[in-house]
Amino acid sequence: MILTELISYETLRLIWWALLGVLLIGFALTDGFDLGAATLLPFAARSDIERRTVINAIGPVWEGNQVWLILGGGAIFAAWPQLYAVSFSGFYLAMFAILFALILRPVAFKFRSKREEASWRNRWDWALFIGGFAPSLIFGVAVGNVLQGVPFRIEEDMQIFYDGSFFGLLNPFALLCGLVSVAMLVMHGAAWLQVKTSGAVAERARRYGITAALTVPVLYLAAGAILAFFLPGYVITSEISTSGVSNPLLKHAVIQNGAWLANYAAHPALWLVPGLGLAGSVIAALCMAARRPLAALITGGAGIAGIITSVGVSMFPFILPSSANPSASLTVWDASSSHLTLFIMLISTLIFMPIILAYTSWVFSVLRGKVDAEAIENGKEHAY
């Protein structure tokens, strides 16, 4: 117990807020290019061998990349239990749709080449497209709804009730955020395909990637303008203890116009975060135009990190606002697990995160280089 006193409760909450962002960014940067490449599959690849080339560009790594999604869900469950309860129950149908789409991916990988018929393989190609496009869209839609506030309430006995519906999530602003997500992951997937393939596939991926990369800042700016001028944010109007007990009902919060820009007004240096999101995507487009795919992959990834981080920066200290009862909104300071739990989790993370990063780096190092279409066509045993 003495060890836990080395890091204050307030600091641990901040660390886990930041780590949650790191895990989300890690998922977007790794599994994101898998989703983007799968979305491009029916368009960037025309013939059977071209589509097998795209599949083999992501097939060996997608499963390891998806570890970041599992880590993110586990971190939410352990560090932010109330966030887990609201999001995984309120967004249940949306989560089910994501899981269904993600399940299509390994099934399609395994069954696509089991038969030679073009119609059979074409159906599985479109299943892979759904497995890439649907999660990309729904993740963005979820973020759009979080920014607007989620219709949940917490009773005095701490029971949580969600009053929304699945179709209520499909509102115009949330769909716009979904398109931002699709565009940035298609950009990322296109850059990956340029790194891993050559010839016609890489060239088509380059063209689609440039279009997606230039679409990202347009949609992102549109979403930002709507958020700044038309959609209200949330603000805490009472005192709140940063190291007190985790009870969201002990504060008072209200909905207020322009609240999501308050952190930027108080700390102008934070404008560098959305600036990174804009600059990264534009530079990625220029790198693709100059046929420098690795630079495009890196700069596009930086842009994705900036866009995701800008959401957290705008909302801080809110994690999940409540449109039904703003005072029940979940924040960094009142929705976390206990001091001891956060401390033990941090120690575990400091041990295992370097192992995960080292293993992931080793895998990508072993699998470096371009996918050989000729080897695939000649029937190499381990090709998809």
Side-chain angles (χ1 to χ4, degrees), residues 27-28 31-40 97-98 101-102 105 128-143 174-189:
F27 172 68
D31 207 38
F33 67 69
D34 296 342
L35 299 176
T39 302
L40 285 172
I98 290 173
L102 292 177
R105 183 165 54 176
L128 282 170
F129 166 79
I130 294 172
F133 176 80
S136 302
L137 179 69
I138 296 174
F139 281 129
V141 168
V143 172
L175 289 172
L176 175 59
C177 292
L179 292 177
V180 173
S181 175
V182 170
M184 70 183 192
L185 295 187
V186 167
M187 168 190 71
H188 203 43

Side-chain angles (χ1 to χ4, degrees), residues 32-49:
F33 67 69
D34 296 342
L35 299 176
T39 302
L40 285 172
L41 176 64
F43 312 105
R46 307 282 173 80
S47 65
D48 181 66
I49 188 61

